[in-house]
Amino acid sequence: GAFAHVQKPTTSTSNATPIVNRVGTTDSHTNKHKPVNGLMKERKAEVDYAFENRFMVHNDIINMLAPKCSSKRAEAQRVASLVTRELEGIAKGDEKLSDIAAASEDIEPVMFGNDSVDSSDTSKNSSSSSTSIDDMRVLKLIQKPIAGKDAQPVPRFRRESEMYPAIASLFRLVERLICKFAISQDSTQKTSPSQSVKVYEKADFSPKDSDNYLRIDVGLFISDMWKRPAFNGRAVKHNKGPEIGAVDPKYADIFAVVEAKVSEDDQVDAYKQLLLYTYNIYWRQHDRRFAWGLTVCGTAVRACVFGNDGFLASDKMDLSEADGRSAFVGLLVNMAYCGREQLGFDLTIRYNSVRSMWEIDVFNDSDGTKTTCEIVSVMQAAERIFGRHTRCFRCKLPDDENESDNDSNSNSDNNSNGLGHFIVKDAWAYAEGDPDSPGFRDE
């Protein structure tokens, strides 16, 4: 078969998806050549190295998500200001959290249409509900700590499991407030959020498509990601189950992982766990260029962005302080209003709903012309957290109707139905410079 080589520029984006089996594996959970324990030992060693050599605190991560469109940026700033003001009222006891959440709940389906999770049929009093907001636990996160007899702050949470509903409730509250103010009558902008960042109903779960035993504390997804079909040519499989909060989460649909720790002393461990989760995000999402994650250690929130050559973490956003709450709200509002490319997706890979096919754009290096190819199957997925993130797709041209739609599992390019298939290799370009110079990495 022929090969087309796609080199990623330094910035670009799109969505996410399931995949075929890993090379050398019999299914998505086992590897006969490398048992899970051996696999995790290797990954943990790489994570330890990454934290020591490729980690940096970046004080402007929130602005990395600022909408590029000036009108959306202005609207995001307006909404963030209103959401922050409302959250401050809750933290000071001036506003009742449950009343605010209930008042804004009916707005959500209008705001995001069929892409949102309609929570109207879910009991608001159920702690397991995907829409429930636990007042007391949210207040534990955002109010000043209470001093004990020895003048030391009383621990807010004794166990990580106690933090999960508080974190999920806070995310749901901010999301609903964004919906509320995004379409409020005093808005002078005709812009609306690009997507809704939501929280899975489940907490402390192991994704169905994971290749290891790690459990995710809290998972975030984007409103329309769960409706996308499988990444396997015309053999698309739509999610026919109930709303996303009621189904088993998969790495193929997860936008970001939230890692919780009771104490800020465990911050380094939280970073390392996020790195371990990122392996499967890249492996399961073929249109992912970089990944996001958050840590919540005590009341300290930090946003992390994981690139192909290192990762960054934001300054601390202390939820018990007004400045920290304001920064946290700004982060979530920017996530709602920014473009998909800023969330880490590759816009050159997308789903064509008309033809029921995934597509990839291939560019000619000589004249810059673009050819759109249909993806028949995935032959190689990205399986490391750093490096070139090489992916290989078996493709065909859209007008090649003589090709079989059912040969995605075929390994032969010489059969009667495979004449016209070719391989597209999608990878980060080699860095410019002397390969023998100190610090140059060829992975």
Side-chain angles (χ1 to χ4, degrees):
F3 284 81
H5 189 191
V6 178
Q7 291 188 330
K8 294 182 183 292
T10 52
T11 52
S12 193
T13 63
S14 186
N15 299 355
T17 61
I19 53 149
V20 296
N21 296 330
R22 183 183 304 251
V23 175
T25 65
T26 55
D27 57 50
S28 60
H29 297 278
T30 61
N31 187 327
K32 288 186 176 181
H33 301 291
K34 188 172 295 181
V36 171
N37 288 340
L39 186 72
M40 293 305 297
K41 183 178 180 180
E42 179 181 293
R43 289 180 180 176
K44 287 178 180 179
E46 185 178 8
V47 163
D48 289 340
Y49 173 83
F51 183 77
E52 294 296 330
N53 297 276
R54 303 189 184 181
F55 168 73
M56 182 174 68
V57 174
H58 193 288
N59 60 8
D60 207 28
I61 279 186
I62 294 177
N63 286 332
M64 291 172 61
L65 289 165
K68 296 178 180 179
C69 172
S70 59
S71 60
K72 278 208 167 188
R73 187 162 57 249
E75 176 69 353
Q77 292 171 350
R78 183 191 72 85
V79 170
S81 175
L82 293 172
V83 174
T84 299
R85 185 178 67 185
E86 200 97 341
L87 196 60
E88 287 309 296
I90 296 171
K92 294 175 182 177
D94 299 334
E95 302 281 356
K96 190 174 180 182
L97 188 153
S98 57
D99 291 344
I100 293 173
S104 59
E105 185 172 278
D106 293 336
I107 296 176
E108 183 181 354
V110 178
M111 187 67 230
F112 297 101
N114 293 329
D115 285 342
S116 69
V117 174
D118 187 350
S119 57
S120 57
D121 295 330
T122 312
S123 172
K124 300 180 184 64
N125 298 320
S126 172
S127 60
S128 63
S129 166
S130 62
T131 63
S132 64
I133 295 179
D134 191 312
D135 298 41
M136 295 306 298
R137 286 191 170 98
V138 168
L139 293 176
K140 274 189 175 185
L141 276 175
I142 67 174
Q143 288 187 331
K144 284 282 188 181
I146 301 173
K149 294 181 180 180
D150 56 355
Q152 295 297 317
V154 175
R156 295 167 186 262
F157 304 99
R158 292 173 297 175
R159 295 180 296 274
E160 285 183 18
S161 58
E162 296 177 2
M163 300 180 66
Y164 305 155
I167 294 169
S169 294
L170 181 59
F171 273 95
R172 290 182 189 121
L173 173 64
V174 173
E175 182 217 348
R176 289 186 190 167
L177 291 176
I178 292 172
C179 295
K180 172 184 176 181
F181 293 117
I183 61 172
S184 59
Q185 293 180 353
D186 61 342
S187 173
T188 59
Q189 300 288 344
K190 295 183 183 295
T191 55
S192 61
S194 303
Q195 55 268 322
S196 176
V197 178
K198 297 177 175 291
V199 186
Y200 283 104
E201 175 184 344
K202 283 189 174 183
D204 186 26
F205 62 90
S206 179
K208 292 179 65 176
D209 54 355
S210 175
D211 67 356
N212 57 62
Y213 49 77
L214 295 180
R215 301 181 69 83
I216 288 175
D217 293 345
V218 177
L220 305 180
F221 68 98
I222 296 173
S223 51
D224 62 349
M225 284 180 65
W226 67 284
K227 291 190 174 184
R228 294 174 310 147
F231 211 126
N232 59 346
R234 289 191 189 276
V236 294
K237 296 180 180 179
H238 291 273
N239 185 339
K240 299 182 183 301
E243 307 299 354
I244 190 67
V247 301
D248 291 327
K250 303 189 297 291
Y251 273 114
D253 302 319
I254 292 175
F255 160 60
V257 175
V258 182
E259 177 63 25
K261 298 293 181 185
V262 172
S263 170
E264 199 173 350
D265 295 337
D266 297 321
Q267 183 65 60
V268 172
D269 288 340
Y271 285 143
K272 291 182 177 181
Q273 282 190 250
L274 283 184
L275 277 167
L276 288 172
Y277 301 134
T278 306
Y279 279 96
N280 270 280
I281 289 179
Y282 283 132
W283 174 249
R284 296 298 181 185
Q285 300 182 22
H286 309 301
D287 50 359
R288 200 62 179 263
R289 304 184 74 245
F290 56 90
W292 288 87
L294 294 99
T295 64
V296 182
C297 299
T299 61
V301 177
R302 289 176 172 85
C304 304
V305 59
F306 305 96
N308 69 308
D309 63 346
F311 74 100
L312 307 173
S314 70
D315 289 329
K316 177 173 70 173
M317 295 174 276
D318 192 341
L319 295 176
S320 67
E321 301 287 343
D323 289 346
R325 290 190 291 270
S326 176
F328 176 73
V329 168
L331 174 74
L332 297 190
V333 171
N334 279 352
M335 284 182 174
Y337 277 86
C338 72
R340 283 295 176 96
E341 69 277 8
Q342 292 169 271
L343 295 179
F345 298 108
D346 186 348
L347 297 182
T348 65
I349 302 177
R350 61 194 169 274
Y351 180 67
N352 185 327
S353 59
V354 176
R355 294 183 60 84
S356 298
M357 291 289 291
W358 281 90
E359 299 176 334
I360 183 170
D361 293 332
V362 179
F363 298 87
N364 190 313
D365 290 336
S366 59
D367 58 13
T369 57
K370 179 181 74 174
T371 301
T372 299
C373 308
E374 291 185 347
I375 298 175
V376 177
S377 63
V378 181
M379 302 187 69
Q380 174 64 44
E383 56 181 343
R384 305 304 290 252
I385 50 175
F386 301 123
R388 299 193 67 198
H389 285 176
T390 300
R391 298 172 173 102
C392 293
F393 305 105
R394 183 188 297 273
C395 299
K396 70 182 184 69
L397 296 178
D399 57 356
D400 189 355
E401 297 298 341
N402 294 322
E403 295 306 319
S404 169
D405 298 331
N406 301 312
D407 66 340
S408 59
N409 294 322
S410 172
N411 292 321
S412 173
D413 287 307
N414 298 318
N415 58 52
S416 58
N417 292 324
L419 293 175
H421 283 190
F422 50 89
I423 307 302
V424 173
K425 178 182 178 183
D426 183 49
W428 284 94
Y430 283 110
E432 296 181 359
D434 181 6
D436 297 323
S437 63
F440 191 93
R441 299 191 298 270
D442 180 12
E443 300 166 281

